[in-house]
Amino acid sequence: MSYDSQPPTPPPSPSSSPSPRRFGRGNVTVTVAVAALVPTALAGWLVWQAMSGPGDSDPPKVVPLPGQSQSQSRSASSPADAKPSAPTTPPAATASPSRTKEEDKPVATAPANGPLAGKVVVVDPGHNPGNFRHTREINRLVDVGTHRKECDTTGTSTNGGYTEASFTLDVSRRLRTLLEQQGATVKLVQNEDRPYGPCVDERARIGNEAKADAVVSVHADGSAVGNRGFHVILPALVKAGAADTSKIVGPSRDLGTRLAGKFVQATGSAPSNYVGGGTGLVVRKDLGGLNLSTVPKVFIECGNMRDPKDAALLTDGGWRQKAAQGIADGIGSYLNG
């Protein structure tokens, strides 16, 4: 998640009450009654209905909520590409709930056979746990094609102090294992093996240089309490400076739509009730990780860390395994056609 032009604030302590996050560039807060949440079965139907929308060659459209402008319908915290409130010190140490120990394991070699044999997948765990200690470095500006943006951001956290960077690494490691078991060659953009970053332009370059068949950037949002559900961010049609997404808009929409449908099936989570108009799909043109990609790429915001009900899911290891499975199933569906 990221915040456009917001001076960073450290993640809240467990005793602090959540303050509403900025929604895009405005201060719009969407309150949705629990009774209005889309039931899981209907949510899945809505996501798959997205597949009958614009053709792959058509630039997808953001579907703003009633009364919103398109800019207001943007995520309150997009993945790492806009300025967060970077604290000067790391958050208080808290045990990551149900964390895996995959960081202590050697990287497995993909089997020679399997449904994804010969496919290359790049998994991009949003942010980096070390970003909190390197605010000067991550705040430097880099070229994202359409304009210049901060190198990276710190991400958000739950009210209990579980950071987005910890969440994204855990889900990404689980995802890597699932994909490798199906024969895919998987590369993590970062595995807590560097002090900070990488910057958003380098994240895109890693996928490009790997000639990846698909790239997925894993995130969790930091919106207001009551805003629930996941959404997948698709690249807009952008041709400016170093950015040209014309060849990846269609394939990325196919990847994102399949991913959203499989995520509903695996997790039981509904699409976002605050962006995407119930489809779970949002289009953005301001993210360097998408603008600079030359291979199919999407971002997924798995839930809202600042909502207590979503946070309960995001901090549960069993649910994170379901999330990884849903993402893996979506990638597999896309790669297998």
Side-chain angles (χ1 to χ4, degrees), residues 8 83-89 130-142 149-154 195-197 199:
K83 188 172 184 178
S85 300
T88 56
T89 57
N131 283 358
F132 290 101
R133 294 182 289 274
H134 295 274
T135 55
R136 182 169 62 93
E137 291 87 346
I138 67 171
N139 283 333
R140 71 180 180 86
L141 301 181
V142 298
K149 272 195 155 179
E150 287 73 16
C151 159
D152 199 6
T153 65
T154 59
Y196 65 90
C199 296

Side-chain angles (χ1 to χ4, degrees), residues 29-95:
T29 301
V30 180
T31 303
V32 179
V34 174
L37 289 176
V38 180
T40 298
L42 178 57
W45 178 83
L46 287 170
V47 170
W48 285 111
Q49 284 296 302
M51 297 185 70
S52 62
D56 282 350
S57 61
D58 299 327
K61 301 290 191 298
V62 178
V63 183
L65 293 176
Q68 286 186 318
S69 67
Q70 184 167 348
S71 62
Q72 289 173 327
S73 69
R74 287 171 44 196
S75 163
S77 83
S78 70
D81 259 325
K83 188 172 184 178
S85 300
T88 56
T89 57
T94 57

Side-chain angles (χ1 to χ4, degrees), residues 175-188:
L175 175 58
R176 177 186 62 187
T177 298
L178 292 170
L179 292 171
E180 287 179 339
Q181 288 172 348
Q182 298 183 66
T185 298
V186 183
K187 179 177 180 61
L188 293 186

Side-chain angles (χ1 to χ4, degrees), residues 259-280:
L259 194 159
K262 295 298 184 180
F263 199 82
V264 167
Q265 293 177 2
T267 65
S269 292
S272 169
N273 63 13
Y274 58 102
V275 290
T279 67

Side-chain angles (χ1 to χ4, degrees), residues 1-5 24-25 62 70-71 73-83 142-150 200-201 233-238 243 245 282-292 299:
M1 65 78 81
S2 66
Y3 324 66
D4 263 324
S5 305
R25 292 185 180 275
V62 178
Q70 184 167 348
S71 62
S73 69
R74 287 171 44 196
S75 163
S77 83
S78 70
D81 259 325
K83 188 172 184 178
V142 298
D143 183 7
V144 299
T146 54
H147 55 294
R148 295 179 68 80
K149 272 195 155 179
E150 287 73 16
V200 295
D201 56 340
I233 303 175
L234 313 175
L237 180 60
V238 174
T245 63
V282 176
V283 179
R284 291 184 61 172
K285 63 180 181 180
D286 62 318
L287 301 181
L290 296 179
N291 289 355
L292 300 176
F299 288 64

Side-chain angles (χ1 to χ4, degrees), residues 93-101 158 160-164 166-167 170-171 174 305 311-321:
T94 57
S96 299
S98 307
R99 287 191 62 181
T100 63
K101 296 297 182 181
T158 66
Y162 182 48
T163 65
E164 182 185 3
S166 295
F167 170 82
D170 183 71
V171 172
R174 295 170 187 263
M305 299 196 99
L313 300 175
L314 298 167
T315 54
D316 179 76
W319 188 90
R320 293 199 300 274
Q321 184 65 32

Side-chain angles (χ1 to χ4, degrees), residues 17 60 86-87 96 100 116 121 133 135 137 166 169 180 191 200 202 205 228 239 250 254 256 268 276 281 290 303 336:
S17 60
S96 299
T100 63
L116 300 184
V121 179
R133 294 182 289 274
T135 55
E137 291 87 346
S166 295
L169 274 171
E180 287 179 339
N191 194 19
V200 295
E202 183 182 353
R205 188 163 58 249
R228 297 197 60 195
K239 296 185 72 172
D254 186 17
L281 303 175
L290 296 179
N336 288 323

